[in-house]
């Protein structure tokens, strides 16, 4: 009887424990589901409804979205700035094509069909106008800069000397267009740029100038054309030399310079040999061009600047190292009498850059000396030969 009673008690206890164990997981699971729903409702208030379910934490997803928007906005701003910057340097050529001036090549081949044609007259003259349509006062003395490059020399010169008219001649049309835009925006009625190849002929332009106004011609740092096969491309050709001799008024000044000594020697020899040009140490204002403070800028190093390292153009060999009329402008000892400083205390961009590195500049001034000198140099005295005065 006892055993029967004890067995019933044990069965009863087992049944009670089984029910207790079975009920605990259900309650725990129900409680876990409740907590999960509560956490989910809290997160739903913070996470956008369109957030992607890619497994990333909601806060990380928001940070990534904000970063993407910021980057996209920054790229849009950079693109807008780039377009604005490029637009600033764009010019429209006579052909209608738009060109970025910053991408214009430093040198071009003047013998190609695109460039190998004589310098044309300004469009105002071609359309029947006069120099009054170009300059406010065309009777002012004229400075002609042949191969004016970017045009800063003429631009600053026109600002500094408003009593002079300035004309820049450049073979690359984009630079000419931008230069005229500068002149217009600065309201400079004494400045003009024209496009053309001086080595192909500029007699028409020289003839069209008002009589006697051409007072100074500048040829500064032309392309050195180091290779022998490129010597035929050089700007100062016998044709250009003769045209300048035949059209520059008596007493006008020719100013040549280069940071490559052989290029300067070639120019000096050609103008000395052709006749009609006499070397001078004074500019058109009568100022003697001597060394200032004992500094000779044709002999480096000068001033307080040491000669720069790297390729020295003053020692560069041009072509074969020989040329027609070689040594005509040299002194009896074979040296060339270069000017010790700039005759106008006014530097071109290239000149300023060269001098800042302690490198030399080789300069020479010539005065147009008249028909008698031409006749004597050419052996045509009494034959009616001479230059236009």
């Amino acid at each position: 009887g006892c055993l029967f009673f004890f067995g019933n008690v044990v069965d009863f206890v087992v049944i009670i424990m089984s029910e207790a164990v079975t009920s605990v997981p259900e309650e725990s699971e129900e409680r876990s589901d409740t907590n999960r729903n509560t956490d989910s409702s809290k997160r739903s208030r913070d996470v956008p409804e369109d957030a992607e379910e890619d497994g990333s934490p909601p806060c990380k997803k928001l940070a990534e979205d904000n970063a993407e928007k910021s980057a996209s906005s920054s790229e849009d701003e950079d693109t807008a700035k780039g377009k604005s910057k490029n637009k600033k340097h764009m010019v429209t050529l006579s052909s209608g094509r738009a060109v970025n001036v910053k991408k214009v090549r430093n040198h071009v081949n003047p013998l190609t069909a695109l460039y190998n044609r004589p310098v044309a007259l300004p469009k105002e003259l071609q359309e029947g106008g006069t120099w009054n349509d170009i300059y406010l006062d065309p009777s002012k003395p004229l400075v002609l800069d042949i191969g004016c490059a970017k045009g800063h020399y003429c631009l600053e010169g026109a600002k500094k000397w408003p009593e002079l008219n300035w004309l820049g001649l450049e073979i690359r049309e984009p630079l000419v267009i931008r230069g005229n835009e500068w002149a217009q925006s600065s309201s400079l009625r004494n400045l003009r740029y024209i496009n053309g190849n001086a080595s192909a002929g500029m007699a028409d332009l020289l003839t069209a100038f008002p009589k006697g106004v051409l007072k100074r011609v500048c040829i500064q740092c032309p392309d050195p054309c180091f290779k022998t096969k490129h010597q035929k491309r050089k700007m100062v050709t016998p044709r250009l030399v003769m045209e300048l001799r035949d059209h520059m008024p008596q007493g006008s000044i020719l100013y040549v310079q280069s940071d490559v000594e052989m290029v300067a020697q070639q120019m000096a020899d050609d103008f000395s040999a052709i006749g009609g040009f006499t070397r001078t140490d004074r500019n058109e204002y009568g100022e003697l061009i001597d060394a200032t403070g004992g500094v000779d800028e044709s002999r480096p190093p000068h001033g307080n600047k040491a000669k720069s390292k790297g390729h020295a153009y003053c020692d560069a060999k041009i072509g074969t190292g020989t040329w027609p009329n070689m040594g005509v402008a040299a002194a009896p000892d074979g040296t060339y009498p270069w000017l010790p400083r700039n005759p106008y205390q006014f530097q071109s961009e290239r000149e300023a850059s060269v001098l800042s590195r302690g490198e030399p500049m080789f300069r020479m001034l010539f005065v147009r000396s008249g028909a008698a000198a031409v006749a004597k140099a050419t052996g045509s005295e009494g034959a009616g030969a001479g230059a236009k005065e």
Side-chain angles (χ1 to χ4, degrees), residues 167-186:
L167 180 63
L169 174 63
E170 171 58 35
I171 193 172
R172 293 164 292 178
E173 187 183 8
L175 302 183
V176 171
I177 295 174
R178 185 181 63 172
N180 285 324
E181 290 177 351
W182 287 343
Q184 185 175 6
S185 63
S186 301

Side-chain angles (χ1 to χ4, degrees), residues 108-120 171 195-202 232-235 237 239:
V108 297
N109 183 357
L111 301 180
T112 61
L114 179 62
Y115 303 109
N116 194 17
R117 54 179 182 269
V119 177
I171 193 172
N195 174 229
N197 179 4
S199 62
M202 54 184 304
K232 58 187 177 183
R233 298 182 182 180
K234 65 180 185 177
M235 186 177 73
T237 61
R239 176 175 182 171

Side-chain angles (χ1 to χ4, degrees), residues 82-93 97-105 172-175 178:
K83 289 182 178 179
S84 176
K85 186 176 181 181
N86 289 334
K87 186 176 180 181
K88 178 181 178 182
H89 301 296
M90 298 299 291
V91 297
T92 303
L93 305 182
R97 185 166 62 95
V99 175
N100 189 330
V101 178
K102 289 290 186 179
K103 297 182 179 180
V104 174
R105 297 180 61 182
R172 293 164 292 178
E173 187 183 8
L175 302 183
R178 185 181 63 172

Side-chain angles (χ1 to χ4, degrees), residues 17 19 23 25 63 95 120 165 189 194 213 229 241 286 300 333-334 357 360:
M17 292 182 63
E19 291 179 355
S23 63
S95 62
N165 285 331
R189 288 297 308 279
I194 59 175
V213 299
K229 66 179 182 180
V241 172
D333 62 356
R357 301 193 304 269

